[in-house]
Amino acid sequence: MQPTSFGSGNQGQQVGHNYGTINAEFHLPPERPETPPQPFATIPFSRDPDFVNRGDLLDRTDQRCSEPAARVALVGLGGVGKSQLAIEFAHRVAAGQPRTWVFWVHAGTQARVEEGFRAIADAAKLPGRNQPKADIPQLVYNWLSNERNGRWIMILDSADDRDVFYNANSAHGPTSGDARDRRPFATCLPQSRNGSIIVTTRNKDLAFRLTGHRQNMIDVGPMAQPDALTLLEKKLGSPSDLDVAANLVQALDYIPLAITQAAAYIQARAPRSSPEKYLAEFRESERKKSRLLQYDVGDLRREGGASNSIITTWQISFNHIRSERRSAADLLSLMSFFDRQGIPGWVLKPTRIAKDAIQGRGLDEAGGGESDDSDDDIDGGFEDDVVMLRDYCLIVVDDAGDEFEMHGLVQLSTKRWLEASGQQEVFTQQYIERIAASFPTGEYENWATCRGLFAHAQMAVGYRPSEDTIETWATLLHNGGWYARSQGIYEVAQQMLAKARKVREKRLGEEDVATLASITMFSLVLLDRGRWEEAEKLFLGADHPSTLTSMANLASTFWNQGRWEEAERLEVQVMETRKTKLGADHPSTLTSMANLASTFWNQGRWEEAERLEVQVMETSKTKLGADHPSTLTSMANLAATYRNQGRWEEAERLEVQVMETRKTKLGADHPDTLISMANLASTYRNQGRWEEAEKLDVQVMETRKTKLGADHPDTLTSMANLASTFWNQGRWEEAEKLFIQVMETRKTKLGADHPDTLTSMNNLAFTWKCQGRHADALALMEDCAQARRRVLGEQHPYTLSSLTTVSKWK
């Protein structure tokens, strides 16, 4: 065999017979020396003419970058403007520091980082960069580390994936066996005195790793309202209505990308679209919001593959979290169904059984009916999930670490993401089950728990339960409506209880105890709102008119309308039936007797009322005990009868006993204790003991303000009582001020025609009369009389009282 010959153009070797490894070396001609260029900027985006300088973010970035070997990270949600801040900063450096290199590296993937380092090598014309086995990151690292090459700033944009910088297996590409392939990209970032690195990232953990200190991380959140309005104005021009503009940026959570996106949508559809029309459509429904937030016309200052849709932008983070840690994605999914603020950690934290349910497996799969995970593992896993969601800026934790918060648009985007992946139904039902298991009944003892969960329970009203969870959903709404009624939030209570009642009637039947409970609670809300006719129709048209509960509630409807004879007839029937069925000393029988006594009381039939009330009180003492809540209520009722008979000492003795016992048994701020104090104040007021009455009235009012809120019906009653004390002392101005406040608040909360509102009008009219404002007083009393005639009826005692007063004053 003749030797193989390589031509002269190939500076290699001649090979004859060779039965081993051929080690051939090929040498490229030496590179021609290149003249090192002067520093310049490689910013791939033009400067934004609509840029809004947000507080001191750029100044803080500049301050950090002025330090030797500085590293700073702009950290925040996708769409909050991190890259736009970095672009503006880079252009300012390029314009103000012409002898400083500015390098821009897209850091979303390993390939883009490789590409960025190659661009730096080409820009600086680094020798050896064109060699086949050139270690570009090392060349760039060495060059950047050499202070003789001048000052430089590198922006690592969209550095969201930790594996890009810390993947030890494949940091720089597919080539195997090379030493540089085992070196993380993070080690290729020099810490030289002549350079600074700026990172934009959604990932706080990566930001900390790359910058080395929490102080080097600058949180970039949504804009302040003035900045958000400035951005909208730059995109759309001066708004014709500042209130609409303010409401629009607020609805968009002050997030720059969402504002820019909305402005682009409005401009593209003008004049058929406007901020007003966009806002109205945005508020219409979640589905409309989603459609508007998916609008994408692109942006020259966003990375080529980056969407200008806020929903798509965030879904990139969601998908990454799901791929990295599925349990964290599940936690985010569950949180998206809560109200966005005050999400309690104790409700979110999974029990072992809840964890199995979330993962979609039965308990038997773990063997022996138990999960393999210990409680410590579950706790640790939950905390790790929270850390990941915080690191991606998707949730915020309060200072105590007990509650979480999400941006409303993040919640919406999460739901749309779940919908797209077919998971929305699963997490809707998980939410219903979790919040229903946590939300107790509306009794006073549970108010603290209910208060913390009520906003979240309200969210369930708009969710559609499955067949498996619909009864659980009804229980949640019943309890929520119960609590809402106790807080005087009547409209919400009525909405929740109506839905609960409908489900229970359909699923459980009209005779079921739970169904009757919902009907009763619903009827009480109607009575609270002064909607007597609706309450009456509910009971008269009910399918269980023979039930004693229904009859008792119908009697209360008649009672509130002043239809004493009809109320009495029903109450006697209920009482006698309960005596026969349950016994004369059964608690329900005693309740019936107390109700009948109240009817006598309102008719001025004091002796009959007193006889029943004494009987109820003595029986309660014997059967339940002297300090039982029901016994105390009966004592309070008897005291009211004494008070109305002018038997002040007997009334006072009972009221003091009730008040002191309730303070001891229930607490000084329990609603029943406050009622006792208010009753005693009334007795003092009727005796002309003004200072003692005022002291109690103020104490009750202030406690109710603190516990229930300034606009709660019970608080307003306290204010009215204090105003009456002032009125009786001739302190007209103080009385007037309170009566007006009570009346206006009741108009807002209860409605202009609510009986309590009309009572306030009546009281204010009398106050004006006493002040000598005769015309004002007469006009107001005429309005009150007409409203009472319309609402309560011609023969109601209050209507007759107002009509008599009008006639007298005329």
Side-chain angles (χ1 to χ4, degrees), residues 306-319:
S307 171
N308 203 42
S309 155
I310 194 69
I311 284 185
T312 306
T313 296
W314 286 337
Q315 288 180 354
I316 294 170
S317 294
F318 304 157
N319 287 324

mmCIF file of all heavy atoms in Angstrom, residues 306-319:
data_model
loop_
_atom_site.group_PDB
_atom_site.id
_atom_site.type_symbol
_atom_site.label_atom_id
_atom_site.label_comp_id
_atom_site.label_asym_id
_atom_site.label_seq_id
_atom_site.Cartn_x
_atom_site.Cartn_y
_atom_site.Cartn_z
ATOM 1 N N ALA A 306 -40.323 37.655 24.458
ATOM 2 C CA ALA A 306 -41.131 38.023 25.623
ATOM 3 C C ALA A 306 -42.473 38.583 25.194
ATOM 4 O O ALA A 306 -42.555 39.416 24.298
ATOM 5 C CB ALA A 306 -40.387 39.041 26.475
ATOM 6 N N SER A 307 -43.520 38.146 25.845
ATOM 7 C CA SER A 307 -44.857 38.619 25.529
ATOM 8 C C SER A 307 -45.117 39.953 26.200
ATOM 9 O O SER A 307 -44.590 40.245 27.270
ATOM 10 C CB SER A 307 -45.904 37.597 25.998
ATOM 11 O OG SER A 307 -47.197 38.126 25.898
ATOM 12 N N ASN A 308 -45.937 40.778 25.570
ATOM 13 C CA ASN A 308 -46.362 42.021 26.174
ATOM 14 C C ASN A 308 -47.690 41.850 26.905
ATOM 15 O O ASN A 308 -48.302 42.813 27.317
ATOM 16 C CB ASN A 308 -46.491 43.116 25.112
ATOM 17 C CG ASN A 308 -46.386 44.509 25.715
ATOM 18 O OD1 ASN A 308 -45.557 44.738 26.577
ATOM 19 N ND2 ASN A 308 -47.231 45.423 25.275
ATOM 20 N N SER A 309 -48.154 40.601 27.024
ATOM 21 C CA SER A 309 -49.353 40.296 27.789
ATOM 22 C C SER A 309 -48.951 39.977 29.223
ATOM 23 O O SER A 309 -48.098 39.131 29.454
ATOM 24 C CB SER A 309 -50.090 39.098 27.182
ATOM 25 O OG SER A 309 -50.878 38.441 28.142
ATOM 26 N N ILE A 310 -49.578 40.658 30.185
ATOM 27 C CA ILE A 310 -49.212 40.454 31.580
ATOM 28 C C ILE A 310 -49.517 39.035 32.029
ATOM 29 O O ILE A 310 -48.777 38.420 32.792
ATOM 30 C CB ILE A 310 -49.913 41.494 32.489
ATOM 31 C CG1 ILE A 310 -49.275 41.506 33.868
ATOM 32 C CG2 ILE A 310 -51.400 41.254 32.581
ATOM 33 C CD1 ILE A 310 -47.878 42.046 33.908
ATOM 34 N N ILE A 311 -50.618 38.459 31.524
ATOM 35 C CA ILE A 311 -50.976 37.093 31.912
ATOM 36 C C ILE A 311 -49.930 36.114 31.404
ATOM 37 O O ILE A 311 -49.460 35.239 32.136
ATOM 38 C CB ILE A 311 -52.382 36.735 31.385
ATOM 39 C CG1 ILE A 311 -53.438 37.428 32.251
ATOM 40 C CG2 ILE A 311 -52.602 35.229 31.391
ATOM 41 C CD1 ILE A 311 -54.860 37.070 31.933
ATOM 42 N N THR A 312 -49.545 36.252 30.140
ATOM 43 C CA THR A 312 -48.528 35.353 29.576
ATOM 44 C C THR A 312 -47.197 35.528 30.287
ATOM 45 O O THR A 312 -46.484 34.558 30.553
ATOM 46 C CB THR A 312 -48.363 35.627 28.064
ATOM 47 O OG1 THR A 312 -49.644 35.528 27.437
ATOM 48 C CG2 THR A 312 -47.412 34.630 27.438
ATOM 49 N N THR A 313 -46.862 36.763 30.621
ATOM 50 C CA THR A 313 -45.607 37.041 31.317
ATOM 51 C C THR A 313 -45.529 36.290 32.634
ATOM 52 O O THR A 313 -44.511 35.667 32.964
ATOM 53 C CB THR A 313 -45.478 38.561 31.571
ATOM 54 O OG1 THR A 313 -45.404 39.230 30.316
ATOM 55 C CG2 THR A 313 -44.232 38.867 32.386
ATOM 56 N N TRP A 314 -46.602 36.319 33.396
ATOM 57 C CA TRP A 314 -46.585 35.644 34.697
ATOM 58 C C TRP A 314 -46.682 34.135 34.557
ATOM 59 O O TRP A 314 -46.166 33.391 35.385
ATOM 60 C CB TRP A 314 -47.711 36.179 35.570
ATOM 61 C CG TRP A 314 -47.417 37.561 36.086
ATOM 62 C CD1 TRP A 314 -46.185 38.134 36.218
ATOM 63 C CD2 TRP A 314 -48.356 38.536 36.513
ATOM 64 N NE1 TRP A 314 -46.304 39.416 36.710
ATOM 65 C CE2 TRP A 314 -47.628 39.690 36.908
ATOM 66 C CE3 TRP A 314 -49.744 38.570 36.610
ATOM 67 C CZ2 TRP A 314 -48.235 40.845 37.390
ATOM 68 C CZ3 TRP A 314 -50.353 39.719 37.102
ATOM 69 C CH2 TRP A 314 -49.604 40.833 37.480
ATOM 70 N N GLN A 315 -47.358 33.681 33.543
ATOM 71 C CA GLN A 315 -47.491 32.233 33.383
ATOM 72 C C GLN A 315 -46.149 31.561 33.108
ATOM 73 O O GLN A 315 -45.977 30.371 33.367
ATOM 74 C CB GLN A 315 -48.518 31.920 32.296
ATOM 75 C CG GLN A 315 -49.937 32.215 32.780
ATOM 76 C CD GLN A 315 -51.006 31.926 31.749
ATOM 77 O OE1 GLN A 315 -50.702 31.594 30.602
ATOM 78 N NE2 GLN A 315 -52.259 32.052 32.147
ATOM 79 N N ILE A 316 -45.173 32.333 32.618
ATOM 80 C CA ILE A 316 -43.813 31.793 32.479
ATOM 81 C C ILE A 316 -43.279 31.397 33.858
ATOM 82 O O ILE A 316 -42.705 30.318 34.044
ATOM 83 C CB ILE A 316 -42.887 32.838 31.815
ATOM 84 C CG1 ILE A 316 -43.326 33.083 30.359
ATOM 85 C CG2 ILE A 316 -41.437 32.382 31.873
ATOM 86 C CD1 ILE A 316 -42.624 34.268 29.713
ATOM 87 N N SER A 317 -43.500 32.275 34.844
ATOM 88 C CA SER A 317 -43.067 31.964 36.212
ATOM 89 C C SER A 317 -43.823 30.764 36.763
ATOM 90 O O SER A 317 -43.244 29.887 37.409
ATOM 91 C CB SER A 317 -43.294 33.175 37.129
ATOM 92 O OG SER A 317 -42.470 34.250 36.747
ATOM 93 N N PHE A 318 -45.137 30.718 36.512
ATOM 94 C CA PHE A 318 -45.939 29.611 37.027
ATOM 95 C C PHE A 318 -45.433 28.275 36.487
ATOM 96 O O PHE A 318 -45.282 27.298 37.230
ATOM 97 C CB PHE A 318 -47.412 29.773 36.649
ATOM 98 C CG PHE A 318 -48.036 31.071 37.083
ATOM 99 C CD1 PHE A 318 -49.154 31.567 36.431
ATOM 100 C CD2 PHE A 318 -47.520 31.799 38.139
ATOM 101 C CE1 PHE A 318 -49.747 32.755 36.823
ATOM 102 C CE2 PHE A 318 -48.099 32.995 38.544
ATOM 103 C CZ PHE A 318 -49.212 33.476 37.871
ATOM 104 N N ASN A 319 -45.185 28.244 35.200
ATOM 105 C CA ASN A 319 -44.722 26.998 34.587
ATOM 106 C C ASN A 319 -43.365 26.576 35.137
ATOM 107 O O ASN A 319 -43.109 25.385 35.348
ATOM 108 C CB ASN A 319 -44.652 27.158 33.063
ATOM 109 C CG ASN A 319 -46.026 27.176 32.418
ATOM 110 O OD1 ASN A 319 -46.934 26.469 32.855
ATOM 111 N ND2 ASN A 319 -46.196 27.986 31.387
#
